[in-house]
Amino acid sequence: MRRVLFLVAAAVLAVIGSGSAVRGGDVTYDGRSLIIDGQRKIVFSGSIHYPRSTPEMWPSLIAKAKEGGLDAIETYVFWNVHEPQPGHYDFSGGHDIVRFIKEVQAQGLYACLRIGPFIQSEWSYGGLPFWLHDIPGIVFRSDNEPFKVYMQNFTAKVVSMMQSENLYASQGGPIILSQIENEYGTVQKAYGQEGLAYVQWAAQMAEGLQTGVPWVMCKQNNAPGHVINSCNGMKCGQTFVGPNSPNKPSIWTENWTTHYQVYGEDAPMRSAEDIAFHVTLFIAAKKGSFVNYYMYHGGTNFGRTASAFVTTSYYDQAPLDEYGLTTQPKWGHLKELHAAIKLCSTPLLSGVQVNLYLGPQQQAYIFNAVSGECAVFLINNDSSNAASVPFRNASYDLPPMSISILPDCKNVAFNTAKVSTQYTARTMGRGEVLDAADVWQEFTEAIPNFDSTSTRSETLLEQMNTTKDSSDYLWSTFSRKNPRFKFETSVSLSKGINNVSLLSVMVGMPDSGAFLENRAAGLRTVRIRDKQDTNDFTNYSWGYQIGLQGETLQIYTEQGSSQVQWKKFSNAGNPLTWYKTQVDAPPGDVPVALNLASMGKGEAWVNGQSIGRYWPSYRTPNGSAQTWYHVPRSFLKPAGNLLVLQEEEGGNPLQVSLDTVSISQVCGHVTASHLAPVSSWIEHHQKHKSPAKVSGRRPKVLLACPSKSKISRISFASYGTPLGNCRNSMAVGTCHSQNSKAVVEEACLGKMKCSIPVSDRQFSGDPCPAKAKSLMVVAECR
């Protein structure tokens, strides 16, 4: 066994804040796993991006990730956030990555730092600062000296910051992995030999920074030297070609828990069962030892940070939703999965893997350790049919497309398709509707003409190169004198000189693709035809105004707001209009969202802080891509908050409201064939010291309300054969225990959480002998 040894330094960290701070140590690896401080590790990680939340949210998000069974937090480093101008850095407030990593450390988790510094991530310009575009002779992400100089400078800056704070594991800190570049394998072919040389250079440059921890390159099958190649996608248990060296471990850097959403499309969904299946398959079939969920918390694309057409809400269906609430059953089902796989740690990390075929689409991956411990993963790859498979003189039933985990090669601890975790429903509580016209004021954007502009050109200018990503908007204007000119459109023109002003609008910068520096946007050609002489006029002197007047004056701030003359609200539906009002924060500490369903398209600010672009008027097959827009509590004062909307199309602010977000309902549906919580496996092992005793565990419905709320009402309960499921409507079936509701109420009312065993004894008898039964419960939380 060959081990790759990195720079070593040992230190012990004191406890920082609440919880136990993680202790760092040597980080090495071999073909089986990462080896941290001399111990092999199976690491479950989750992506939480610090600029997509707020510092006030970080502790709670990280704590919930830890409670969900994660060992590490992974984040990109956002170059254009930190270096908005060459050599001018911003690591303050929500950009304070050191504070974020220290919070991860304080809560006893590892950290994985994906420096890039190209990151894609549906982030403006892929995270690259736009000023790079103006560097003479630059070619992004290639064997190009100007780009390599700036890339190395920023990478070294980040590494130096982490080292100065002793944050690498080799210094006793939490960072166990770093990443250089990002998914370069998808574009490398376009760069030819310069792409190959760039990959080699990037790897050597990164390793030369002496972080003392391994580096990875994702989607880079030819990752050079000691750099680990890793997989991104939804099905790496099937698609990953494997490490490019027998001395590198199998790592999954992006397991997409859903997918990002774009305007005009409905939210993509991915089930908890599907995620669990592919994680388990990666562990068993690919001998995977590191899995990162992208995203574990998606958060919010504040301001103009979202890339082209990506919604402000990011990965809202992740285990933690945009507001930081748990998405169930995804969060809980994965927590159970993590616990079940950790029960198999010894044979997984030190045992011999044996593959046994049990049927045409069924197989077993068996891991036998020298110590005698054994774990097996029984797999049914048939997506339509259940299967019963034989293994060691016993028969095991496998639902379609599922994997059963047997930590002792005898008893099933977990099945990926059997969800015992509760389901939750998110409720948007309607707040005060700002429907009084006298609470709103408006300011209408002036349309510039040629004479009022200061930027001039004899040709049409490319939009991104002109605005430098300072605005989504670019006015292009010209004037023309032609006494015979006539438009056959609804636009009215006067005889003589007419000023023509065209507003081109971007909805985010591009974020990916080869030769990103050559991408273009905006007006390409403008032609005016005089029908009487059949000539096209295309050559004009153009005048330009970058952005809107309200943006330039920052009228969304208290100070900037006084720079213009606001008028009383007149009527809804006016394009290019700014609206402002004062709003009080809803009482309590639950998350808050701005309901902009009545608006068209634009951007919103609260107390001068942008909560992002909005576009509810762009309809999807099932409504709008996004109606509610997250307003972090830290953005709000108790009363008198300045709310400013920049409306582009002509929406109606009189239906806007500041709403609350909460989990108001929980539902559990567990059959008698479901498995008991994995925690009971551990308890039985500790109590009985015998794997044979584990079979005595029983399934349960487990319900839990969010913190500071309790179960106030049981709206449905049925033990027997209830109809429906927690995702849809439910009803009492032909078999129903009459005391179902009374039993559940006694166990649950007035409590934050409760447990009800699924058994005849619990409900004082069998309501329908010989029938398979289940328990379904719906509870209200207040």
Side-chain angles (χ1 to χ4, degrees), residues 548-586:
L548 304 178
Q549 182 183 5
E551 289 181 297
T552 303
L553 297 176
Q554 298 184 347
I555 65 174
Y556 46 82
T557 66
E558 289 286 358
Q559 182 177 356
S561 179
S562 64
Q563 302 299 308
V564 298
Q565 186 66 44
W566 293 84
K567 298 179 180 179
K568 291 183 178 180
F569 175 82
S570 56
N571 57 278
N574 296 323
L576 291 179
T577 301
W578 296 75
Y579 299 101
K580 78 167 183 175
T581 189
Q582 299 281 327
V583 63
D584 295 340

Side-chain angles (χ1 to χ4, degrees), residues 482-488 528-537:
N482 187 344
R484 296 188 301 167
F485 186 79
K486 182 180 179 181
F487 254 125
E488 292 184 349
I528 296 178
R529 171 168 292 182
D530 184 333
K531 286 198 171 182
Q532 295 193 28
D533 62 17
T534 67
N535 290 322
D536 283 352
F537 300 100

Side-chain angles (χ1 to χ4, degrees), residues 155-332:
T155 304
K157 171 75 174 179
V158 173
V159 168
S160 177
M161 288 179 60
M162 299 300 128
Q163 290 173 329
S164 67
E165 299 288 339
N166 295 322
L167 291 177
Y168 282 104
S170 57
Q171 302 171 293
I175 301 173
I176 58 172
L177 278 179
S178 294
Q179 179 179 304
I180 194 69
E181 247 298 331
N182 189 65
E183 297 187 344
Y184 191 71
T186 62
V187 298
Q188 181 178 332
K189 186 177 180 181
Y191 294 94
Q193 287 300 311
E194 293 202 346
L196 180 61
Y198 169 69
V199 170
Q200 296 285 339
W201 169 84
Q204 292 170 6
M205 181 270 290
E207 291 193 303
L209 295 173
Q210 299 293 299
T211 62
V213 303
W215 288 85
V216 299
M217 283 183 169
C218 61
K219 282 193 176 181
Q220 193 67 47
N221 294 337
N222 63 340
H226 300 323
V227 176
I228 305 168
N229 61 302
S230 64
C231 185
N232 288 1
M234 289 186 175
K235 301 179 178 182
C236 284
Q238 297 172 345
T239 63
F240 186 40
V241 298
N244 62 7
S245 165
N247 303 310
K248 297 179 182 180
S250 291
I251 286 179
W252 191 351
T253 38
E254 288 189 14
N255 179 7
W256 304 331
T257 56
T258 173
H259 207 254
Y260 64 88
Q261 186 178 6
V262 297
Y263 289 109
E265 295 184 5
D266 290 318
M269 305 293 288
R270 189 183 182 196
S271 70
E273 297 94 321
D274 185 66
I275 299 172
F277 176 88
H278 288 285
V279 169
T280 309
L281 186 64
F282 181 72
I283 297 288
K286 302 295 184 180
K287 294 194 288 187
S289 58
F290 179 99
V291 176
N292 178 73
Y293 298 104
Y294 189 98
M295 299 290 295
Y296 199 78
H297 167 259
T300 306
N301 290 314
F302 297 114
R304 299 172 45 259
T305 57
S307 64
F309 286 90
V310 172
T311 58
T312 296
S313 176
Y314 190 64
Y315 274 77
D316 187 38
Q317 297 298 318
L320 299 179
D321 71 10
E322 179 181 8
Y323 307 96
L325 304 175
T326 54
T327 302
Q328 296 280 35
K330 193 171 288 185
W331 182 86

